[in-house]
Amino acid sequence: MTAVIAASGGVDAAPNPLRDKTAEHTVSIAADGSYSVRMDTKLDLALETTWGFGGDIHDGFRLPDTEALLPPYLRVHYSNPQGTIDSDPAEATIETEVHSVDIGFSTDRLTAGSHRGVLDYEVAGAAVPAADVNGDQDDGVVVYVRPLDRGDLVIESAAPITAVDCEVVAPYGKSCGEKRGDGWAVSSDELLRDSAVIDAVRITIDADPKGMPAPDIDS
């Protein structure tokens, strides 16, 4: 708990403009393992303020260790950012520095009250044959997702979803979420484990690995 002390001649802490915030990421996976993301964020502001939607993300996912000197990393491509604030278009961008990717947009000053920001973007190259992750006996495709902000995760897929695992320390994961109709849902609470933010969500789909582009793996 943080205490705020007001002293004579001192400066009080600036008031927090945010009353409440919720976010939901919807991931729609194609049969080749590429996917689109919609991050839908709802704000309740107590004060007029500017706001930023999105965040920083790493472009790589650690794969299971091999005998290589450096661990293998799956490199991912993010593209086509689009944003809206209260249904009005907003200029979204993707900026890359080394392996840090900044996806999102910022607003002009928003009035106090309720607001909704939506950020869409596309991801390619975030999939590998399931056998490369789970062993030669596994069929299908493993797709990696890393949410931009803490919030619920809803997963839709053109191919059946057979498993969803959350990784705290890659490449080790535990089953998370639950099946919802033809899709899957992971709550924001499950994206924290032992007070650590989940590094990645690993989704296995029943798709033919031969139908996916060759992954870009650094090792």
Side-chain angles (χ1 to χ4, degrees):
M1 183 174 67
T2 302
V4 177
I5 300 175
S8 176
V11 178
D12 292 343
N16 185 354
L18 181 65
R19 285 198 190 99
D20 189 38
K21 184 185 81 163
T22 60
E24 181 177 274
H25 301 75
T26 301
V27 176
S28 301
I29 306 172
D32 66 355
S34 62
Y35 58 88
S36 63
V37 179
R38 167 160 289 194
M39 188 178 81
D40 191 336
T41 306
K42 295 177 182 178
L43 303 175
D44 183 11
L45 298 177
L47 301 170
E48 181 182 280
T49 188
T50 59
W51 200 265
F53 296 88
D56 293 321
I57 200 168
H58 196 278
D59 78 339
F61 296 93
R62 182 176 172 182
L63 300 176
D65 287 331
T66 64
E67 295 180 359
L69 182 62
L70 295 176
Y73 272 83
L74 177 66
R75 296 301 178 192
V76 182
H77 180 64
Y78 298 87
S79 65
N80 197 27
Q82 299 179 56
T84 63
I85 178 67
D86 298 331
S87 300
D88 292 328
E91 184 178 356
T93 60
I94 293 179
E95 298 179 0
T96 302
E97 183 175 354
V98 190
H99 291 300
S100 176
V101 183
D102 187 358
I103 309 173
F105 66 93
S106 297
T107 69
D108 295 328
R109 295 189 74 83
L110 301 174
T111 60
S114 298
H115 298 276
R116 179 183 181 187
V118 177
L119 174 64
D120 294 282
Y121 57 97
E122 297 175 358
V123 183
V128 292
D132 291 354
V133 178
N134 301 322
D136 293 340
Q137 75 281 2
D138 254 23
D139 296 324
V141 170
V142 168
V143 180
Y144 286 86
V145 172
R146 186 175 281 127
L148 282 179
D149 195 3
R150 188 182 174 196
D152 296 339
L153 177 65
V154 176
I155 306 164
E156 303 170 347
S157 176
I161 299 169
T162 58
V164 175
D165 298 279
C166 290
E167 296 180 344
V168 175
V169 179
Y172 307 104
K174 294 182 180 180
S175 178
C176 60
E178 61 181 2
K179 185 175 176 61
R180 294 268 183 93
D182 293 332
W184 209 274
V186 184
S187 71
S188 60
D189 290 339
E190 288 184 280
L191 296 178
L192 286 174
R193 182 170 290 157
D194 299 328
S195 300
V197 177
I198 293 297
D199 178 69
V201 179
R202 203 170 64 218
I203 304 156
T204 306
I205 60 174
D206 185 11
D208 185 357
K210 296 178 181 178
M212 56 174 281
D216 182 7
I217 298 175
D218 287 349
S219 59

